[in-house]
Amino acid sequence: MAKLVLQGVRKRFGQNLVLDGIDLTVSQGEMVCLIGASGSGKSTLLRCINLLEPIDDGTIHLDGVDISEPGYDPQAVRTRIGIVFQSFNLFPHMTAAQNVMLAPRRVLGRRPEEMAGPVEALFDRFGLKHRMGHYPDQLSGGQQQRVAIIRALAMSPEIMLFDEITSALDPELVGEVLDVLRQLRAEGMTMVLATHEMGFARELADTVCFLDGGRILERAPPGTLFTQPREERTRAFLSRLL
Amino acid sequence: MPNPDQGGAAALSAAPTRREIHEARLRRRSGAIAAGSTLLVIGAIVLFVPMAPGWEAVRRSFFNAEVFRKTFPGLLEAFLVDVAIFLWCAPAIALLGLVIALCRDVRAPALFPLRLFGALYTDVFRGLPVVLVVYLIGFGVPGLGLPRPWNSPYIWGSLALILVYAAYVAEVIRSGIDSIHVSQRSAAASLGLSEADTMRYVVLPQAIRNVAPANMNLFIALQKDVALLSFIGPVEIFRQAGVYKSLLANFTPYVGAALIFLAITIPATRYADYLLHRQRRRQS
Ligand SMILES: Nc1ncnc2c1ncn2[C@@H]1O[C@H](COP(=O)(O)OP(=O)(O)OP(=O)(O)O)[C@@H](O)[C@H]1O
Ligand SMILES: [Mg+2]
């Protein structure tokens, strides 16, 4: 069943048309990877999906409801769609646990004592139980990024968006964050991720979309897209990576 | 990334390296040069200033030990008035400054008048000499012929200080708010936090911490400017020194007052500098 449907989504910054008619369908439990050159619009697309950026044209349906309609409450959408950024964006004045508990407390009205158990379980699941009381600057990049993922998961989102979450990490820390994604994948989380990790996309994605100049130029299962790209530009992009 | 092992490694190597010995020697040498030149300057002052023709007269009227001993306790007591005025003004300033700063940050179009008010407020009160505001409010409002407790210069003088300093504090807080990167607001929004919660839990705590040293400098300036209230009545230290001066025909009480101010402001300024320095180091 289609969980998320984008139709003809356009987004411009001033004169710059950054998304030029994006059509994308994401099914329940599907993992979609967005690949493409820098500036092709991957981050913008993700930010539009959870309404951090308003779109100029087209529609976005979540469970059949048009969430892109002007006036639709963005807060309600953001509690259902989580996003993790390249640069972690943890709140530096709060411990890892406080980072995770802020939104459930303020947005969902959870009381700290009822959250304590589930939050600890979440930290434990991603191997960070002993870091709950640490501040972000006391954590490695990989640990910070995992806390950011836990923070998004604590809202029990139905869809997770990941924007190049390993790009700012030292190579030896990439693995631990990818492991978290593998775990989420195994649990059946619906995910859309922008990534430069082609090996990872190939291993786990159901679908890979190649973005070019604000359009989805090619969309296929990884086995097809990486080995027999249909478009010349896709081939050029992939050959530059290898 | 701070490496916890570094400290341990340094502590382990007990014997100083060749470079450490060299650097220690350099440090000792520059320390000796600094001490030497300072002594030279002080020596010159002690030697030559008393040779000035008017020195005897200045010493008698500004540095009279007898007058100093007689007036210093009274000055200290009067300084308590300064401290009291400071203590009730400071929280009011912090609160009003915060409110004005928040006014200037509202985005909703319906609240535009608040924004305008905030901008006007800070422009006006930062654009006037403090002493002028003290005069206008301190003389002007009681001039309305208000009944007994309400015509007190303490109230209206304090209000003048509160109004002026809140404008400066608001600007400092606003610069702190601006210094928080948009990605922090973005992250908060992406979790579904409202604008108000984002400000209260994410932006403000960081902003206020970032500008704490700047605010401390403002409050040090406030402690000094309390003396301006002497112009409209309250007998605080500056006024008390004036009374002693007329009484004893001697300026030493002013020097005493200056020393009392410095005893407070120098340590406070040093502490603010220390905070700033520590913050810079942490951010780099
Ligand atoms: N807030 C903004 N204001 C103006 N232009 C923007 C803004 N955000 C993105 N852009 C522009 O939109 C285009 C697409 O940017 P986007 O960040 O979505 O690309 P990307 O595919 O994520 O690139 P990268 O791989 O470098 O992250 C770029 O040309 C960028 O300059
Ligand atoms: Mg990007």
Side-chain angles (χ1 to χ4, degrees):
Chain A
M1 186 220 150
K3 181 82 188 159
L4 181 73
V5 181
L6 281 72
Q7 283 171 317
V9 169
R10 282 199 168 73
K11 171 74 191 173
R12 47 170 62 84
F13 289 111
Q15 291 300 311
N16 188 4
L17 187 59
V18 175
L19 297 180
D20 182 12
I22 297 278
D23 296 309
L24 177 67
T25 303
V26 182
S27 313
Q28 177 72 49
E30 191 180 2
M31 175 163 168
V32 176
C33 281
L34 308 173
I35 62 171
S38 180
S40 56
K42 305 180 294 293
S43 300
T44 306
L45 178 56
L46 294 178
R47 293 172 64 85
C48 284
I49 291 176
N50 79 342
L51 308 187
L52 280 174
E53 298 285 356
I55 60 175
D56 296 309
D57 209 355
T59 57
I60 303 175
H61 286 81
L62 178 61
D63 282 336
V65 177
D66 184 0
I67 59 170
S68 60
E69 196 180 338
Y72 194 91
D73 178 17
Q75 263 180 271
V77 172
R78 293 180 197 143
T79 59
R80 297 175 61 192
I81 305 180
I83 186 166
V84 181
F85 306 94
Q86 177 176 348
S87 51
F88 326 144
N89 298 351
L90 292 177
F91 307 133
H93 60 300
M94 296 183 188
T95 63
Q98 287 167 339
N99 262 281
V100 170
M101 297 209 281
L102 177 66
R105 185 159 61 88
R106 298 300 306 171
V107 181
L108 307 177
R110 297 269 153 72
R111 275 174 295 130
E113 48 296 1
E114 68 179 307
M115 266 190 296
V119 165
E120 198 175 320
L122 212 48
F123 273 94
D124 198 23
R125 207 167 103 200
F126 298 111
L128 285 174
K129 193 167 152 191
H130 56 301
R131 297 276 185 249
M132 285 177 70
H134 286 55
Y135 285 89
D137 64 1
Q138 300 169 318
L139 300 173
S140 73
Q143 290 169 337
Q144 289 186 57
Q145 192 57 294
R146 281 185 285 157
V147 171
I149 295 172
I150 293 172
R151 181 172 72 174
L153 289 176
M155 297 296 284
S156 319
E158 300 157 34
I159 302 177
M160 284 287 284
L161 312 175
F162 297 95
D163 188 4
E164 291 185 26
I165 61 170
T166 55
S167 304
L169 297 178
D170 293 337
E172 73 271 20
L173 300 178
V174 169
E176 63 187 65
V177 173
L178 293 185
D179 281 341
V180 171
L181 294 181
R182 284 192 187 95
Q183 211 169 325
L184 290 176
R185 174 90 183 98
E187 289 161 12
M189 173 65 79
T190 309
M191 298 190 263
V192 181
L193 49 114
T195 186
H196 284 311
E197 300 281 338
M198 296 305 153
F200 181 76
R202 199 166 187 163
E203 168 198 337
L204 282 186
D206 296 299
T207 311
V208 178
C209 297
F210 174 64
L211 258 76
D212 186 63
R215 299 166 151 276
I216 295 182
L217 204 62
E218 187 163 355
R219 181 202 153 106
T224 318
L225 192 129
F226 287 116
T227 51
Q228 311 153 315
R230 197 181 60 225
E231 301 285 336
E232 185 49 47
R233 295 184 68 92
T234 316
R235 207 168 302 145
F237 172 75
L238 290 174
S239 68
R240 242 177 298 135
L241 285 178
L242 302 175
Chain B
M1 214 40 52
N3 182 356
D5 297 330
Q6 265 166 15
L12 277 180
S13 59
T17 64
R18 246 171 51 199
R19 193 168 121 233
E20 279 166 352
I21 294 171
H22 177 68
E23 280 173 353
R25 190 180 304 143
L26 281 186
R27 256 201 310 279
R28 269 200 306 277
R29 206 165 72 198
S30 53
I33 292 175
S37 71
T38 308
L39 275 178
L40 208 68
V41 170
I42 291 177
I45 291 172
V46 169
L47 212 65
F48 293 119
V49 169
M51 288 163 75
W55 170 246
E56 233 354 271
V58 168
R59 201 184 60 83
R60 243 181 293 121
S61 54
F62 282 89
F63 302 101
N64 187 320
E66 181 58 29
V67 172
F68 186 85
R69 208 172 309 123
K70 255 206 310 225
T71 58
F72 196 73
L75 289 174
L76 260 186
E77 202 168 312
F79 188 64
L80 290 182
V81 176
D82 292 74
V83 173
I85 293 172
F86 172 85
L87 285 181
W88 70 61
C89 285
I93 287 166
L95 193 71
L96 184 60
L98 180 62
V99 169
I100 303 284
L102 290 177
C103 279
R104 297 200 64 175
D105 196 67
V106 294
R107 276 123 198 254
L111 298 178
F112 182 74
L114 271 185
R115 239 184 130 119
L116 192 67
F117 164 76
L120 261 175
Y121 181 96
T122 45
D123 282 355
V124 167
F125 283 104
R126 289 191 315 152
L128 291 170
V130 189
V131 67
L132 195 59
V133 179
V134 169
Y135 261 71
L136 286 177
I137 295 179
F139 282 133
V141 179
L144 295 174
L146 297 173
R148 212 37 183 71
W150 295 108
N151 59 4
S152 157
Y154 285 92
I155 295 179
W156 301 108
S158 301
L159 181 70
L161 290 179
I162 290 168
L163 290 176
V164 170
Y165 272 87
Y168 287 97
V169 168
E171 275 304 289
V172 166
I173 293 179
R174 197 174 73 110
S175 74
I177 289 173
D178 286 349
S179 74
I180 304 303
H181 199 263
V182 283
S183 61
Q184 286 282 306
R185 287 191 195 238
S186 225
S190 78
L191 291 165
L193 287 171
S194 66
E195 293 242 333
D197 276 353
T198 300
M199 181 52 80
R200 179 166 157 208
Y201 292 99
V202 177
V203 177
L204 260 192
Q206 298 183 59
I208 292 193
R209 191 175 308 179
N210 286 354
V211 298
N215 268 330
M216 229 184 116
N217 281 323
L218 278 180
F219 282 102
I220 293 165
L222 169 68
Q223 180 65 82
K224 293 183 289 177
D225 275 353
V226 168
L228 292 174
L229 295 206
S230 63
F231 290 126
I232 59 167
V235 182
E236 48 68 65
I237 186 167
F238 182 57
R239 179 116 171 175
Q240 184 64 54
V243 170
Y244 286 140
K245 180 214 68 180
S246 311
L247 218 60
L248 306 169
N250 192 289
F251 287 99
T252 306
Y254 284 130
V255 175
L259 289 178
I260 291 172
F261 271 112
L262 290 179
I264 296 286
T265 52
I266 289 181
T269 314
R270 285 277 141 243
Y271 183 63
D273 283 356
Y274 161 76
L275 285 183
L276 193 66
H277 180 72
R278 202 181 58 176
Q279 203 168 61
R280 290 243 174 84
R281 220 182 25 208
R282 196 179 301 153
Q283 272 161 8
S284 62

